[in-house]
C-alpha cells in the first residue's frame, strides 16, 4: 500500500462509499415497470388511465395463494401400501419358534434346571411363566386348557385376527385424517383408519382377548403378550415419498391467477380509488411487463435506476464538495451520511412491502434523517440531506413525488427546528412542527387533487 494512502481521506474510499450506497439503493427499487403513482390500497390513482399494453393474468395475493396451496396439501390423504409378505413371514416365524421354544422349555423341565437361557428373546419373568406351565403339565400328566400347546395356538389365533384386520405402522393419532388412501398399482381406495389396528389398539386388543381367555393368570397374559409382540409387525406401511409427491401435485393444481386482463383493457382509471382487486391488477401488470422484458430491457431499466440515483446523490455531493471541504475530506463523516440515507431507504423498502389499508407511508421517518443530519452537522446539510432522502424514498415508492414533496416539507421543518438545539424541550417542539408540516402538506395535496 502506498505511504500516501490514508483511509480517512482517500478519494478511492469516498467513491467506493458512494457507489456501494447507490448500488444498494438501486437493488431496493421496485422490479419491473415503474408505476407512476401511489399504489396503496385505499389511495387515489392520480395519473391518467392505466391501459394494459399486453394481455396478462391477475395474480393472487401471495399470502392467499400460499394459504390455498397449503390447504390443498393438507387435503391430501396419507397414502399407505399393503405389504402381503409381512403376515406370511410373521406367521411362519411364530409357528417355527413356538415349536423350538416348546422343545427348549420341555428339555429344561426334564433336566430340572431353572435356566433362563440367553438363547431366547423372552424376559426372565415370561420364560419362567412358560417353564412353570410346562412343569404343571408334567405333574398332572395331561393337557389342560392352559398347556403350552394351547397357549401357542391362542397366540396364532391372535396373530391371524390382527392381520385379518391389518396393522398400521403409524399410530392413529399421527394420522390427521379420518381415512387412509390404500394404493394398489395406480388405484387408491379410501378406508377409515378405524378399520385397522395400530400399536396402541393392538396392545388393548391383546389385553382384552387374553383376559377373557386366561382370566385368572396375569403372568401368563403378560408372557403371551410379550411373545406375540416380538413377532408382530405392521403390514400397512405409510409411503412418505408418494404422499409428498401427491401433495406437490395438489399444490401445482392450485391456480396462481384469479382472472385475466386483456390487451388495451383499462386497469385503473384516473381518480379511481385503489381497491384490493385493482391493486392486484397493478402489481400483476408490473410483473408481466418485467417478464416480457428481455436482457437489454432489464439492463436499461437498471441503468436508468442507477443514473436516477446518481443524479439525486449529486445534489448533496456537489454541495459538500464545493462548500463543505471539512466534511468532504473526512471519509467517516461521508460514511455516516451514507448510513443515514441507507437506513431511511431500507425503511422505505420495508414499508413498501406492507399491503394494508392504512397510511403506512408515515412510517417512513424522513424527518428523523433531517434531525440527525442537522444535529450532527448543521441545518444546511440537514436540508440537502432531506431533499436527497425524500427523492430516493419517492423513487422507491414507484416515483411517488406527491409523497416526496410532503416529506421535503416535513423534513425541512424538522431541520429548521433543531438547528440550534440546546435542551430536550426543543425536540418535542420540533415534533409539533413536523406534525404541522404534514397536516399542511396533506391539505394542499387534497386541495390540488380535488381541482
Amino acid at each position: 500500500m502506498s505511504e500516501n494512502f490514508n483511509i480517512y481521506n482517500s478519494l478511492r474510499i469516498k467513491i467506493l462509499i458512494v457507489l456501494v450506497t447507490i448500488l444498494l439503493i438501486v437493488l431496493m427499487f421496485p422490479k419491473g415497470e415503474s408505476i407512476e403513482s401511489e399504489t396503496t390500497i385505499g389511495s387515489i390513482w392520480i395519473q391518467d388511465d392505466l391501459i394494459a399494453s399486453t394481455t396478462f393474468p391477475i395474480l393472487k395475493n401471495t399470502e392467499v395463494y400460499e394459504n390455498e396451496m397449503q390447504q390443498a396439501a393438507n387435503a391430501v390423504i396419507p397414502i399407505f401400501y399393503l405389504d402381503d409378505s409381512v403376515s406370511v413371514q410373521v406367521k411362519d416365524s411364530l409357528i417355527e419358534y413356538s415349536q423350538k421354544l416348546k422343545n427348549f422349555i420341555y428339555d429344561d423341565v426334564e433336566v430340572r434346571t431353572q435356566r433362563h437361557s440367553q438363547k431366547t428373546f423372552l424376559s426372565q419373568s415370561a420364560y419362567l411363566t412358560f417353564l412353570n406351565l410346562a412343569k404343571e403339565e408334567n405333574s398332572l400328566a395331561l393337557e389342560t386348557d392352559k398347556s403350552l400347546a394351547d397357549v401357542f395356538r391362542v397366540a396364532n389365533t391372535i396373530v391371524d385376527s390382527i392381520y385379518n384386520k391389518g396393522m398400521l405402522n403409524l399410530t392413529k393419532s399421527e394420522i390427521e385424517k379420518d381415512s387412509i388412501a390404500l394404493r394398489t398399482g395406480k388405484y387408491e381406495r379410501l378406508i377409515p383408519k378405524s378399520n385397522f389396528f395400530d400399536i396402541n389398539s393392538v396392545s388393548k386388543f391383546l389385553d382384552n382377548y387374553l383376559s377373557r381367555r386366561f382370566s385368572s393368570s396375569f403372568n401368563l397374559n403378560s408372557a403371551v403378550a410379550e411373545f406375540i409382540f416380538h413377532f408382530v409387525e405392521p403390514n400397512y406401511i405409510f409411503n412418505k415419498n408418494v404422499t409428498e409427491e401427491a401433495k406437490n401435485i395438489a399444490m401445482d393444481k392450485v391456480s396462481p391467477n384469479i382472472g385475466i386482463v386483456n390487451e388495451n383493457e383499462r386497469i385503473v382509471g384516473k381518480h379511481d380509488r385503489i381497491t384490493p382487486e385493482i391493486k392486484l391488477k397493478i402489481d400483476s401488470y408490473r410483473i408481466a411487463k418485467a417478464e416480457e422484458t428481455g436482457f437489454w430491457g432489464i439492463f436499461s431499466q437498471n441503468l436508468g435506476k442507477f443514473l436516477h440515483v446518481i443524479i439525486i446523490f449529486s445534489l448533496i455531493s456537489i454541495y459538500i464538495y464545493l462548500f463543505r471541504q471539512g466534511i468532504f475530506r473526512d471519509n467517516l463523516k461521508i460514511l455516516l451520511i451514507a448510513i443515514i440515507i441507507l437506513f431511511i431507504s431500507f425503511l422505505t423498502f420495508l414499508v413498501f412491502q406492507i399491503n394494508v389499508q392504512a397510511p403506512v407511508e408515515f412510517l417512513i421517518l424522513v424527518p428523523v434523517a433531517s434531525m440527525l443530519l442537522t444535529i450532527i452537522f448543521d441545518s444546511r446539510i440537514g436540508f440537502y440531506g432531506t431533499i436527497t432522502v425524500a427523492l430516493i424514498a419517492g423513487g422507491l415508492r414507484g416515483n411517488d413525488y406527491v409523497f416526496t414533496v410532503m416529506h421535503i416539507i416535513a423534513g425541512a421543518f424538522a431541520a429548521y427546528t433543531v438547528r440550534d438545539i440546546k435542551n430536550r424541550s426543543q425536540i418535542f417542539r420540533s415534533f409539533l412542527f413536523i406534525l404541522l408540516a404534514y397536516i399542511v402538506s396533506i391539505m394542499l395535496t387534497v386541495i390540488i387533487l380535488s381541482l
Side-chain angles (χ1 to χ4, degrees), residues 160-367:
D160 285 337
S161 299
I162 291 173
Y163 285 114
N164 285 339
K165 190 171 182 179
M167 181 177 177
L168 304 171
N169 71 328
L170 298 180
T171 63
K172 292 178 182 178
S173 61
E174 292 177 305
I175 303 173
E176 297 179 353
K177 305 299 180 183
D178 294 329
S179 301
I180 68 166
L182 179 60
R183 176 167 291 190
T184 306
K186 296 181 179 179
Y187 302 98
E188 289 182 4
R189 288 186 297 133
L190 297 184
I191 305 175
K193 64 181 180 182
S194 57
N195 289 7
F196 302 92
F197 284 113
D198 64 359
I199 189 66
N200 296 325
S201 54
V202 163
S203 179
K204 292 179 182 178
F205 172 71
L206 284 176
D207 289 342
N208 293 333
Y209 191 102
L210 293 174
S211 63
R212 292 196 304 269
R213 187 67 177 79
F214 307 121
S215 58
S216 61
S217 180
F218 173 79
N219 289 340
L220 182 57
N221 290 350
S222 298
V224 175
E226 180 183 332
F227 179 72
I228 292 173
F229 262 120
H230 178 76
F231 293 98
V232 170
E233 294 181 5
N235 61 333
Y236 283 87
I237 312 300
F238 173 61
N239 195 322
K240 182 177 180 180
N241 292 335
V242 173
T243 302
E244 290 298 324
E245 182 181 347
K247 288 183 177 181
N248 290 333
I249 292 174
M251 288 191 291
D252 289 340
K253 289 181 179 179
V254 176
S255 174
N257 312 325
I258 58 172
I260 193 170
V261 173
N262 293 312
E263 184 178 359
N264 297 323
E265 182 178 340
R266 185 174 66 177
I267 299 172
V268 58
K270 186 175 183 179
H271 297 158
D272 284 351
R273 186 172 298 279
I274 303 296
T275 64
E277 293 75 17
I278 292 176
K279 178 71 162 58
L280 287 178
K281 290 182 180 181
I282 294 173
D283 291 343
S284 300
Y285 184 53
R286 180 186 291 113
I287 293 172
K289 293 292 289 182
E291 289 178 349
E292 73 175 11
T293 303
F295 170 79
W296 290 110
I298 295 174
F299 175 80
S300 62
Q301 282 184 3
N302 289 325
L303 179 61
K305 294 171 186 176
F306 185 76
L307 295 175
H308 183 177
V309 180
I310 285 180
I311 292 171
I312 294 174
F313 257 81
S314 66
L315 298 174
I316 191 170
S317 300
I318 292 173
Y319 172 75
I320 291 174
Y321 175 73
L322 293 178
F323 303 106
R324 306 303 298 273
Q325 281 292 316
I327 297 176
F328 180 77
R329 287 193 294 268
D330 192 333
N331 288 339
L332 287 178
K333 293 179 179 178
I334 292 176
L335 179 62
L336 181 58
I337 294 172
I339 290 173
I340 292 173
I341 294 174
L342 273 176
F343 171 72
I344 301 300
S345 299
F346 184 65
L347 185 61
T348 306
F349 171 77
L350 291 180
V351 171
F352 190 63
Q353 310 307 310
I354 301 175
N355 186 15
V356 294
Q357 297 187 35
V360 292
E361 62 269 17
F362 294 108
L363 295 176
I364 301 171
L365 308 175
V366 173

Side-chain angles (χ1 to χ4, degrees), residues 25 61 73 90 104 140 147 165 194 207 223 233 241 292 297-298 364 370 422 426:
I25 292 173
N61 176 277
V90 168
F104 187 78
L140 295 173
S147 67
K165 190 171 182 179
S194 57
D207 289 342
E233 294 181 5
N241 292 335
E292 73 175 11
I298 295 174
I364 301 171
S370 307
K422 295 182 177 63
Q426 287 181 276

